[in-house]
Amino acid sequence: MDGLHKGWFTEFSPDDLEKINGSDSDSKQLKSDGQEMGGAWPGQAFSLQVKKTLFHEKSKYQDVLVFESTTYGNVLVLDGIIQATERDEFSYQEMLAHLPLFAHPNPKRVLIIGGGDGGILREVLKHEQVEKVTMCEIDEMVIEVAKKYLPGMSCGFNDPKLDLYCGDGFEFLKNHKNEFDVIITDSSDPVGPAESLFGQSYYELLRDALNDDGILSSQGESVWLHLNLIAHLIKFNRQIFPTVNYGQSIVSTYPSGSMGYLICAKNANRDVTVPSREVSPSIQSQLRFYNSEVHRAAFVLPQFVKNALNQ
């Protein structure tokens, strides 16, 4: 079965969907550095009512679906997993982008790994300090679909500051050293090919691609679902970067309603939990979720999370 059924789309945990389809494979388990980290959100599912299917094809890499929902606007789904909805996408895009960008005093060169829907690019371009944005997105179909069906997110693809590279971000990083002020990884969960973006060798490449005062931000999963994975990421990154922090915020359509952000800096004196620049009125007028107070609050963690991450 798939997620579309009788006018509803249901987002199953990939490992649960394998079981529903009669498979005993463990290929849909989350993994990092070869270690299994459990299912994505086992034992629960999330449904949206479908008004109309707008696009549904398989690219070279994944199943790509866009549907118009009755309450969340247009919805982008990759391999059965909701990536963004028009109703709440800004909450994730703004936090993943602006936490590192405002932590940096002068971000001129920015690299985005993934982010084919254009949401992170849109947010990066709001910073007048940014002179060049390089984006590495492996799936051209996602970009084209976003341009057609998610215009509010994909509005930055024609910006002259953008250098778009359609290919593997992991491979791209190997040829770029000491180049970027900020790198943002907007990835899916570590299932299948995306597993490489949650491993130690990937973060070592990120470190090498950042300049001496560089900051990175990565999609960091949810503490309610993936605390073991998050602790694993924090542990090995503390061997790579002198500054490693984890923040979180609410995202209504992410399983469990929360999303995390892994923020690392090469400068040991850079406190990423405090903005280096306050939000100007001109930028704040364009934002719907992020502000300087939310930046600081994102890093105030519940005690059970602090205990797990400081072991």
Side-chain angles (χ1 to χ4, degrees):
M1 66 178 294
D2 61 29
L4 288 168
H5 185 65
K6 293 185 177 180
W8 289 80
F9 171 79
T10 300
E11 180 186 54
F12 295 99
S13 185
D15 53 306
D16 282 344
L17 189 57
E18 276 199 325
K19 295 173 185 176
I20 292 170
N21 290 329
S23 173
D24 294 326
S25 171
D26 63 354
S27 64
K28 299 301 182 181
Q29 296 288 307
L30 274 63
K31 296 180 181 179
S32 174
D33 295 320
Q35 299 183 41
E36 286 195 3
M37 297 291 175
W41 49 91
Q44 66 184 66
F46 178 75
S47 296
L48 289 175
Q49 191 172 23
V50 179
K51 188 174 181 180
K52 180 170 58 176
T53 299
L54 301 173
F55 181 92
H56 195 186
E57 291 185 17
K58 286 190 179 292
S59 73
K60 297 177 183 178
Y61 305 98
Q62 57 201 332
D63 182 89
V64 181
L65 166 68
V66 182
F67 66 87
E68 181 185 357
S69 70
T70 58
T71 53
Y72 278 77
N74 289 355
V75 180
L76 173 65
V77 181
L78 300 179
D79 280 341
I81 298 174
I82 294 172
Q83 304 298 308
T85 80
E86 289 182 310
R87 180 177 176 179
D88 71 352
E89 55 85 11
F90 65 90
S91 59
Y92 168 75
Q93 317 287 358
E94 290 186 17
M95 291 297 283
L96 185 61
H98 298 308
L99 286 175
L101 286 165
F102 278 109
H104 197 287
N106 191 23
K108 293 183 178 181
R109 298 175 65 88
V110 178
L111 171 63
I112 303 169
I113 306 287
D117 54 42
I120 296 297
L121 173 62
R122 177 194 66 200
E123 298 306 315
V124 170
L125 291 170
K126 292 175 181 177
H127 291 254
E128 60 184 15
Q129 294 89 349
V130 172
E131 298 174 354
K132 182 180 179 181
V133 186
T134 303
M135 174 184 279
C136 296
E137 167 60 53
I138 197 168
D139 198 335
E140 294 181 66
M141 182 181 286
V142 174
I143 296 172
E144 295 309 311
V145 165
K147 287 179 180 178
K148 185 171 183 179
Y149 298 108
L150 297 167
M153 297 175 64
S154 58
C155 53
F157 279 112
N158 292 324
D159 194 285
K161 293 181 180 180
L162 173 64
D163 182 9
L164 180 60
Y165 170 79
C166 289
D168 188 334
F170 196 99
E171 294 301 318
F172 177 90
L173 286 169
K174 294 178 181 179
N175 300 313
H176 295 267
K177 307 296 183 184
N178 195 37
E179 189 170 329
F180 301 100
D181 300 303
V182 171
I183 301 177
I184 302 169
T185 303
D186 180 14
S187 70
S188 56
D189 298 318
V191 177
E195 178 187 345
S196 65
L197 304 184
F198 285 77
Q200 183 167 339
S201 60
Y202 176 69
Y203 280 87
E204 290 171 347
L205 288 172
L206 291 176
R207 175 199 60 200
D208 295 343
L210 289 166
N211 59 33
D212 289 343
D213 199 20
I215 299 174
L216 71 82
S217 174
S218 295
Q219 187 267 98
E221 304 293 343
S222 168
V223 297
W224 293 108
L225 299 168
H226 311 123
L227 196 52
N228 289 341
L229 171 59
I230 296 165
H232 173 72
L233 292 170
I234 294 290
K235 184 177 181 179
F236 74 65
N237 270 297
R238 284 176 174 160
Q239 301 172 23
I240 302 172
F241 294 95
T243 300
V244 179
N245 289 91
Y246 179 86
Q248 62 175 351
S249 69
I250 54 172
V251 183
S252 65
T253 48
Y254 191 79
S256 81
S258 70
M259 173 56 82
Y261 313 95
L262 179 63
I263 315 293
C264 304
K266 288 183 72 172
N267 184 344
N269 297 317
R270 180 67 58 203
D271 183 358
V272 299
T273 69
V274 178
S276 290
R277 298 174 292 119
E278 295 295 313
V279 186
S280 68
S282 62
I283 295 182
Q284 191 66 75
S285 66
Q286 304 175 59
L287 303 180
R288 300 171 63 193
F289 194 95
Y290 178 93
N291 58 43
S292 297
E293 292 78 18
V294 166
H295 184 126
R296 296 178 177 89
F299 297 97
V300 179
L301 300 175
Q303 191 59 42
F304 79 97
V305 180
K306 293 175 68 174
N307 290 344
L309 302 188
N310 290 322
Q311 290 180 358

